[in-house]
Amino acid sequence: MKNIKILISCHKPVELLKSNILIPIQVGCDLNQERFSNMLRDNEGENISSKNPMYCELTAQYWAWKNLEADYYGFFHYRRYLNFSEKRFPKDCWGNVVEDYLLKRTARQYGLTDETMRGLIENYDMIISEMKDVAQMPTHDKSVYEQYKNGNSLHSEDLDIVIDIVRKRYPEYRDDLHKYLNSTRTCLCNMYIMKRELFLEYMEWLFDILFEFEKRANMDDYSVEGLRTPGHLAERLLTLYYIHLKRTRKLKIKELQTVVFLNTDPKPVLKPAFDKNNTAIVLSANDFYVPYVSVVLESLHYHATHNWNYDVIVMHRDISLKNQMILKEQLSDKKNISLRFLDIGRYSKPFEKMFLRGHFAVETYFRLLMPEIFKNYTKALYMDSDLVLNADPGELYHTDVSGYLLAACHDSDTAGLYNGYEPNKKYYMDHILKIKKPYEYFQAGVILFNLEEFRKRYKTKDMLQFAASYKWELLDQDVLNYIAQGSVKYVDSEWNVMTDWAGIRISQIIALAPKRMNADYLKARKNPKIIHYAGPDKPWHQPYADKAEYFWKHARKCPYYEVILQRLYAVPPVPTLKERVKQTLLGRMMPSITLFFPYKTRRREYLKKIARGFLRF
């Protein structure tokens, strides 16, 4: 078995694959006091580590040349690999295959396993990144020389120096050099794998040229990118070496696609932010929703006490670093509040299959991941981002949920739907969702998760598969109600008071709920500890919405107040009195409409056509 070493150049901690072939090496160690674990270092033994700002990944190649014994030497970047699979994948405009995350799944997809890589490598003398056509790239350069000349912060006179060195020191390369620089095809990124004898020969040749270039060139006034000139020149020299080998020797050489992984940050391992009285609060949002998350945080800021330490985590896929910093600054004066952001994009592939409808966004499903991604937590309080606090959430968090999967509030709204407001709801809950005790259905906007108990009973994979198995009417709320039935601790409804959506939730929907649930809801409204703007009516869309005053009280103190106002006036005009009357009448008529014109019937479709003609919707 051949000794194959492919060094992965890294300048920061990255996601590492379990491999005996792919070996990470920290580059530029002479200029960085921080040391990354489980990596080789380019400043041990004979090295040029201090030249990393100029030579980039070549400091790893030089180190391997002088210090590493192998039968095959290869070099990748921390986010650039080669595709070892037999399948070819679509490329972007720069000729690269692009993948979001470096995961076990994507590694297998591109053959980045020791078995697959070894099977290919041992059959070739040289493997190199696939040649790309610069004329087909967005810059549409007419030649390799022109591409270098037009490069950001690069200078054509540097390439001219290298041309002169090659012609004088290695005249056998002259013809290949001329043809190559006037062609449009080149290999990029200094990525390759070579047999030992070829690698040693290439290193002698490459660094002889680059060190001579360094003596002749003057880079004193170059920009940071300009100082990387030796690394850029090496890309062209590697291609020249490859072209020359193909013409002059009988070698087995293979080109492979370059795969760029956009995110190779290590998988986050979250631990409680505080050693004592840690109160874990989890939100889920996207970048557009940040202004409303800011209001939630401001209400926490207002009601937080010194009794607890608040460990706030926002699950997301796209919240910008700028917005993260603004939100952290918003809470910076409270030493007992920690705010962190957890990018769960690496877990998001299953959500591509999830059903969405109405105003719901994919972020609602993120809470199904909590037992897995919060492995160091025994419990956590999940809250939707369309609510405001009117009390200290620490009181709710410290509810004893031993033996239960979760704690939540009864859902009087769903009880009213079940009792006849939505005629199909009873059949759906009894026979499709199969909730044994429908009046124990809970509202999922505020949930205290017993994460430890969840991990004992369910695998995240199974919950996600169940969530994707049907177009559940209320998405993951239905899913959680199904899997947690019989194991819910019910807390005071004051902890999740849903607002009066469209003016009909109280008078027409909850009015149909069992008397005890109706009374419980009305009592909770008088002293709400959490106001939940569940449904399409949001105060940032309709300032007159039920209990909007609680929202605006905190919104005025937020760094995004002007953004919220701008969006408010940018949305379609507030409905006229006539339109609001029409909405109310429709709301009151809907139970009868649904009764005589059931969903998914020809009668209902015929009614829609008539309604569009009269009401124009």
Side-chain angles (χ1 to χ4, degrees), residues 260-402:
V260 178
F261 294 93
L262 299 179
N263 191 324
T264 56
D265 291 341
K267 186 176 182 179
V269 179
L270 278 179
K271 294 182 179 180
F274 301 96
D275 294 331
K276 296 181 179 179
N277 295 326
N278 195 78
T279 299
I281 298 174
V282 181
L283 305 174
S284 179
N286 56 37
D287 199 58
F288 180 82
Y289 228 74
V290 160
Y292 317 122
V293 172
S294 177
V295 179
V296 180
L297 296 178
E298 188 60 37
S299 69
L300 170 64
H301 182 276
Y302 183 86
H303 291 287
T305 68
H306 295 294
N307 297 330
W308 324 109
N309 292 314
Y310 303 87
D311 180 5
V312 185
I313 300 162
V314 179
M315 298 187 292
H316 75 101
R317 292 188 300 176
D318 65 351
I319 296 180
S320 68
L321 290 176
K322 178 182 178 181
N323 279 334
Q324 291 181 32
M325 292 176 65
I326 292 173
L327 291 176
K328 287 182 178 181
E329 180 62 26
Q330 181 182 345
L331 301 174
S332 61
D333 64 322
K334 290 274 191 176
K335 302 304 179 185
N336 65 331
I337 300 180
S338 164
L339 176 61
R340 291 178 288 175
F341 295 84
L342 179 61
D343 182 353
I344 66 165
R346 67 179 64 244
Y347 304 98
S348 64
K349 190 169 182 62
F351 300 132
E352 296 173 4
K353 303 177 182 178
M354 301 299 186
F355 171 65
L356 291 174
R357 69 175 183 85
H359 63 283
F360 292 99
V362 71
E363 282 75 18
T364 188
Y365 287 106
F366 289 178
R367 53 190 157 189
L368 298 179
L369 297 172
M370 288 173 57
E372 176 182 338
I373 61 181
F374 292 92
K375 290 182 179 179
N376 294 303
Y377 290 76
T378 57
K379 64 180 181 177
L381 176 60
Y382 173 86
M383 300 190 306
D384 280 347
S385 297
D386 59 347
L387 54 74
V388 290
L389 294 162
N390 198 38
D392 179 6
E395 297 177 36
L396 177 58
Y397 175 84
H398 290 279
T399 300
D400 184 7
V401 287
S402 301

Side-chain angles (χ1 to χ4, degrees), residues 98 363 407 608:
V98 180
E363 282 75 18
K608 284 182 181 179

Side-chain angles (χ1 to χ4, degrees), residues 344-616:
I344 66 165
R346 67 179 64 244
Y347 304 98
S348 64
K349 190 169 182 62
F351 300 132
E352 296 173 4
K353 303 177 182 178
M354 301 299 186
F355 171 65
L356 291 174
R357 69 175 183 85
H359 63 283
F360 292 99
V362 71
E363 282 75 18
T364 188
Y365 287 106
F366 289 178
R367 53 190 157 189
L368 298 179
L369 297 172
M370 288 173 57
E372 176 182 338
I373 61 181
F374 292 92
K375 290 182 179 179
N376 294 303
Y377 290 76
T378 57
K379 64 180 181 177
L381 176 60
Y382 173 86
M383 300 190 306
D384 280 347
S385 297
D386 59 347
L387 54 74
V388 290
L389 294 162
N390 198 38
D392 179 6
E395 297 177 36
L396 177 58
Y397 175 84
H398 290 279
T399 300
D400 184 7
V401 287
S402 301
Y404 296 93
L405 282 172
L406 57 85
C409 300
H410 283 103
D411 190 339
S412 52
D413 182 82
T414 296
L417 298 176
Y418 180 85
N419 271 4
Y421 185 82
E422 193 175 288
N424 292 338
K425 193 72 172 180
K426 178 174 173 58
Y427 179 84
Y428 168 77
M429 292 185 67
D430 290 349
H431 300 286
I432 299 177
L433 186 57
K434 298 180 180 178
I435 298 295
K436 297 176 182 177
K437 297 181 178 180
Y439 300 124
E440 291 187 2
Y441 188 97
F442 59 86
Q443 216 289 331
V446 179
I447 300 177
L448 179 59
F449 280 96
N450 184 340
L451 300 174
E452 195 170 35
E453 193 67 25
F454 258 98
R455 286 190 286 267
K456 291 178 183 177
R457 301 193 199 181
Y458 294 106
K459 292 182 179 180
T460 299
K461 179 180 68 173
D462 296 335
M463 289 194 292
L464 293 175
Q465 286 178 348
F466 181 71
S469 67
Y470 189 81
K471 293 182 178 180
W472 306 110
E473 289 185 357
L474 293 178
L475 313 184
D476 62 314
Q477 178 168 287
D478 282 353
V479 172
L480 287 168
N481 268 275
Y482 174 79
I483 64 180
Q485 55 185 316
S487 189
V488 178
K489 183 170 187 176
Y490 294 94
V491 295
D492 197 306
S493 295
E494 295 173 345
W495 286 111
N496 189 356
V497 175
M498 291 186 290
T499 53
D500 188 15
W501 170 71
I504 63 172
R505 178 169 273 153
I506 296 176
S507 63
Q508 297 182 48
I509 303 176
I510 295 179
L512 297 178
K515 182 180 178 180
R516 66 183 183 279
M517 297 183 73
N518 184 25
D520 182 57
Y521 171 80
L522 294 176
K523 178 184 176 183
R525 273 182 63 85
K526 295 177 181 178
N527 184 34
K529 293 182 177 179
I530 293 180
I531 298 96
H532 185 189
Y533 302 101
D537 285 4
K538 309 294 185 187
W540 52 87
H541 292 157
Q542 300 175 349
Y544 53 79
D546 182 39
K547 296 194 179 294
E549 64 273 16
Y550 288 91
F551 174 85
W552 292 107
K553 169 185 174 181
H554 298 293
R556 293 185 187 98
K557 300 177 184 178
C558 290
Y560 294 92
Y561 181 54
E562 291 79 8
V563 175
I564 295 171
L565 290 179
Q566 180 195 36
R567 290 181 181 178
L568 174 63
Y569 291 109
V571 299
V574 175
T576 63
L577 178 61
K578 179 181 177 181
E579 290 169 331
R580 292 175 64 187
V581 169
K582 185 174 73 175
Q583 287 180 352
T584 303
L585 286 174
L586 278 175
R588 290 175 179 173
M589 292 167 61
M590 192 57 67
S592 298
I593 291 173
T594 304
L595 180 62
F596 292 104
F597 299 89
Y599 291 107
K600 298 181 180 179
T601 63
R602 290 184 179 180
R603 280 182 289 168
R604 190 175 183 90
E605 294 304 313
Y606 182 68
L607 178 65
K608 284 182 181 179
K609 291 180 181 179
I610 297 175
R612 289 192 188 102
F614 283 102
L615 301 175
R616 294 181 182 177

